Amino acid sequence: MKAGESLVSSSEQLAASFETMRDPQPEPVLSRRALLQNSTVLATTVAAAVTFQPASVSAQETPPTPAMRTPHRISTASVDVNPPSPEIIALNRIAFGPRPGDLDALMALGSNSEERLRAFVDQQLAPETIDDSQCDTILAAQGFTTLTKSRQQLWTDHAIGDVPWNERIRPLNETIQATFLRAIYSKRQLVEVLADFWHNHFNVYAWDRWAASTWVHYDRDVIRGNLLGNFRQMLGAVAKSPAMLYYLDNISNTSAGPNENYARELFELHTLGAENYFGVASIVGPDGGYHHPAPKDTNGVALMYIDEDVYAATQCFTGWRIDQATGNFRFDDSVHAKYSKIVLAKATPSGAGVQDGEFVLDLLANHPGTARYICRKLCRRLISDNPPESIVEAAANVFYTKRNEPDQLKQVVRTILLSSEFRSTWGEKIKRPFEYVVSLLRAANANFAWSNDFRWRYEPLGQALFSWPPPDGYPDTKERWTGTMTILQRWRICNWLMDGWKIGGEGEDKNNLRIDCLAQTPAHIRKPTDLVDFWSRRILGRLLPAEERQPIVEFMAAGRNPDQDLPENQIAERLRFMVGLIFMSPSFQWR
């Protein structure tokens, strides 16, 4: 019996395990025959498992919000999945999954789970104390030329003048490659997780000429430079960056021709969110004067925003520009709206120039609605699609009370990661494509080197880095990433990675790197059951559930007794595909 033939039945047995991961409203699926006829053996036969019917769960949606932009639909459908230990949960959320040895290192940090988690969180929240020289050496070996350039150097070398396109986008391409390498090899894993979060929160489509040429600055100085710092400082850095100024058109915002793109996204996506939108409302009171209809706090600041706030903020940001000679931020007073504006029921300093925009950023960064919105998104990223309100409120309280402190965001993240909700929640979130591929490469101890071959196989998964066109960032709920073709694409790249893949370079002696499962398997492990259990523990930190384990054991046994040693040639032929099936299992998708 050939490996592909046995894998058909194995993948069909795994099908039931995937039912609980499906979107409650699934997209149409291909027939098993069509899949078998049009794809490679391993990916296709496993992809046949997605032809099942959707799980019988009722998906409840949050009540509709009368917002200018409809918020992401969040399903409250859940599944019954036995949670792993807090240590495994931590390595899958504070990091992009464990590399060999990571679990042992974490277990050595204390005598119980609470001690170990606290020590690991504090370690990751102090990245400057972590020796990351191995990752630094790997990055240095790539020969990158843009990652250390200042914003002005990037602008001069890559943005202005007659620069060839491949040089114009070099800062972006090198940042993409460095992002993969850091996610796979860096020991400062929480930094990488949070960089991914904040890039999505302050999303910019990076393939614009101005963004691409200065992308090193946006990634290094704006996002990474502030992700454990102060939110108001980060908000200002984003607002003044070439990437954001061009992406949301504030570069063309003038008093004579206002462009509200940036101001609108500032309210709807960057700070208050659609959940704090009061609706279309008039600002004319019964007496004919100004009247903001939303409730106010004790300082008279409106607790929710209306369209008029966006329009007024648009005028506040008129004149925010980029110096075309240097790439630095500058303010053009000649196109600024020189009159007092009212935002969230508070008047700006009349004719204050650049301070009008700073005033708006101050209002929003110090708003309790912003605290709740940002913390809900952080909890959604770090805990579950529908995080308990208890931890959202606890984190928002820290965000708000510590809003003037330089390590505000560090304190917020620590609150979330050390919460009981973080330790006890599992099975309510799956890995997005970037997480899936990086966690696979980490668990397999792959010798990764970037190549266009890898890029062409990764990007069909649907999460090409820095390439989401709308400003809301890649979706962060499991419904978006459990459609038929979405799951099929991750199985295809898994097949490619496991099937003797050579990662990069040309010729037999140049970067001829691969995932070598056989070399990483102790020679004395020969039984199908033992092989599956060894790699389950290696990849997941625990055994697979019985319903996922059994078909993989049967595949590896290929009709033999699963409790007897296999011949060497059968192990050599099937082992990499067996490991691939574990990477394709539902248990590897959860985080």
Side-chain angles (χ1 to χ4, degrees):
M1 183 179 292
K2 295 181 180 179
E5 294 172 345
S6 295
L7 193 53
V8 174
S9 60
S10 298
S11 60
E12 288 174 343
Q13 293 177 63
L14 280 171
S17 300
F18 271 96
E19 290 188 359
T20 54
M21 295 181 61
R22 295 286 291 128
D23 188 333
Q25 296 180 336
E27 56 193 87
V29 297
L30 299 174
S31 69
R32 180 179 286 109
R33 180 173 297 277
L35 288 171
L36 288 170
Q37 289 174 342
N38 292 292
S39 300
T40 58
V41 173
L42 178 62
T44 304
T45 52
V46 178
V50 301
T51 60
F52 48 73
Q53 295 299 314
S56 57
V57 294
S58 59
Q60 300 175 356
E61 296 180 1
T62 52
T65 303
M68 291 178 278
R69 171 181 282 103
T70 302
H72 292 314
R73 294 193 319 160
I74 308 297
S75 169
T76 58
S78 186
V79 295
D80 185 15
V81 180
N82 292 327
S85 68
E87 291 84 359
I88 295 299
I89 291 175
L91 288 171
N92 280 280
R93 294 185 188 157
I94 299 173
F96 286 115
R99 285 177 62 86
D102 284 357
L103 181 57
D104 291 339
L106 177 51
M107 296 299 289
L109 293 178
S111 59
N112 57 58
S113 292
E114 185 174 351
E115 285 184 7
R116 289 189 281 266
L117 182 57
R118 186 177 300 275
F120 184 56
V121 168
D122 288 341
Q123 180 187 81
Q124 288 293 312
L125 284 172
E128 68 282 357
T129 67
I130 299 173
D131 180 5
D132 215 21
S133 55
Q134 179 186 9
C135 181
D136 293 340
T137 299
I138 291 171
L139 288 171
Q142 310 307 308
F144 296 137
T145 61
T146 68
L147 298 188
T148 59
K149 289 185 178 182
S150 67
R151 177 166 67 174
Q152 185 168 342
Q153 285 177 306
L154 292 165
W155 187 263
T156 301
D157 296 347
H158 303 279
I160 58 176
D162 188 18
V163 181
W165 180 247
N166 65 325
E167 281 301 312
R168 192 175 295 278
I169 64 173
R170 184 181 293 276
L172 172 57
N173 273 327
E174 291 191 352
T175 302
I176 291 172
Q177 295 175 45
T179 298
F180 268 98
L181 289 167
R182 290 184 181 120
I184 294 166
Y185 292 112
S186 177
K187 293 182 179 179
R188 299 167 180 172
Q189 280 287 288
L190 181 57
V191 167
E192 300 309 310
V193 170
L194 292 176
D196 179 58
F197 170 82
W198 287 110
H199 265 295
N200 274 271
H201 181 74
F202 291 116
N203 183 63
V204 170
Y205 177 73
W207 291 97
D208 172 86
R209 59 175 290 183
W210 306 109
S213 58
T214 58
W215 198 250
V216 166
H217 161 70
Y218 192 68
D219 175 69
R220 180 193 62 209
D221 303 326
V222 176
I223 299 298
R224 293 173 179 270
N226 292 289
L227 53 78
L228 291 175
N230 181 271
F231 180 74
R232 171 61 180 88
Q233 183 174 328
M234 177 185 274
L235 192 65
V238 169
K240 295 178 179 179
S241 67
M244 188 61 75
L245 278 166
Y246 278 99
Y247 174 59
L248 290 181
D249 303 313
N250 205 58
I251 199 77
S252 61
N253 183 19
T254 69
S255 57
N259 187 310
E260 70 182 52
N261 285 357
Y262 172 68
R264 185 169 297 279
E265 308 309 351
L266 175 66
F267 279 79
E268 291 187 11
L269 297 175
H270 298 172
T271 56
L272 290 173
E275 65 187 52
N276 287 294
Y277 177 57
F278 193 73
V280 179
S282 173
I283 61 171
V284 180
D287 59 355
Y290 174 86
H291 169 73
H292 198 295
K296 318 293 190 302
D297 66 12
T298 56
N299 295 315
V301 177
L303 294 176
M304 302 180 77
Y305 71 95
I306 60 176
D307 290 343
E308 292 293 339
D309 293 316
V310 174
Y311 305 150
T314 298
Q315 295 291 343
C316 289
F317 287 106
T318 52
W320 285 44
R321 296 289 184 268
I322 291 295
D323 188 314
Q324 291 298 304
T326 65
N328 295 328
F329 173 80
R330 73 177 181 89
F331 177 72
D332 184 354
D333 190 64
S334 67
V335 295
H336 182 64
K338 298 178 180 67
Y339 54 84
S340 180
K341 282 75 73 174
I342 301 178
V343 181
L344 295 177
K346 301 296 288 184
T348 64
S350 180
V354 70
Q355 288 305 314
D356 278 355
E358 301 285 3
F359 175 81
V360 174
L361 297 180
D362 286 341
L363 272 179
L364 293 173
N366 292 284
H367 198 285
T370 296
R372 287 190 299 273
Y373 174 67
I374 298 296
C375 289
R376 181 169 287 105
K377 288 191 69 174
L378 275 167
C379 290
R380 184 175 300 144
R381 178 92 293 260
L382 295 171
I383 296 179
S384 69
D385 286 355
N386 301 285
E389 280 299 308
S390 56
I391 183 57
V392 173
E393 289 300 324
N397 183 60
V398 175
F399 186 103
Y400 187 72
T401 59
K402 306 295 183 181
R403 60 190 182 277
N404 294 320
E405 298 190 11
D407 64 344
Q408 171 201 18
L409 294 176
K410 178 187 290 188
Q411 295 186 60
V412 170
V413 171
R414 189 173 191 272
T415 299
I416 296 171
L417 298 182
L418 293 181
S419 67
S420 60
E421 293 88 345
F422 178 87
R423 297 192 301 271
S424 61
T425 307
W426 191 255
E428 297 183 19
K429 195 164 199 69
I430 74 161
K431 298 170 182 175
R432 294 190 295 185
F434 178 67
E435 297 171 87
Y436 174 76
V437 171
V438 168
S439 63
L440 187 159
L441 293 168
R442 285 174 60 81
N445 201 27
N447 291 313
F448 177 80
W450 178 267
S451 70
N452 284 330
D453 213 16
F454 170 80
R455 184 181 208 153
W456 296 330
R457 285 166 170 82
Y458 167 76
E459 292 190 350
L461 274 72
Q463 197 188 0
L465 291 186
F466 318 126
S467 299
W468 183 254
D472 56 349
Y474 281 106
D476 196 18
T477 58
K478 61 179 178 290
E479 283 80 8
R480 174 58 178 81
W481 303 108
T482 52
T484 301
M485 290 308 296
T486 304
I487 293 295
L488 176 58
Q489 290 297 340
R490 65 176 68 192
W491 288 345
R492 282 176 170 166
I493 196 171
C494 178
N495 174 48
W496 181 65
L497 290 169
M498 304 311 301
D499 193 14
W501 176 47
K502 295 180 174 60
I503 306 178
E506 296 179 356
E508 291 299 321
D509 298 321
K510 183 180 179 183
N511 291 330
N512 210 12
L513 309 172
R514 57 180 293 176
I515 297 173
D516 193 341
C517 299
L518 194 60
Q520 298 181 60
T521 305
H524 69 276
I525 300 179
R526 303 283 296 276
K527 297 180 178 66
T529 50
D530 292 344
L531 289 165
V532 172
D533 290 348
F534 169 79
W535 275 98
S536 296
R537 290 190 178 97
R538 162 72 179 275
I539 292 169
L540 305 171
R542 60 176 180 162
L543 294 178
L544 280 165
E547 66 273 15
E548 297 174 34
R549 177 179 181 269
Q550 187 58 32
I552 301 177
V553 168
E554 292 177 2
F555 164 76
M556 194 64 202
R560 296 175 181 270
N561 185 334
D563 291 314
Q564 291 185 356
D565 288 355
L566 293 176
E568 290 184 6
N569 64 330
Q570 186 167 325
I571 295 176
E573 177 187 357
R574 287 176 172 261
L575 182 66
R576 64 185 185 274
F577 296 110
M578 182 208 81
V579 175
L581 281 172
I582 299 173
F583 283 130
M584 296 175 190
S585 69
S587 289
F588 188 69
Q589 317 303 315
W590 300 121
R591 61 174 297 278

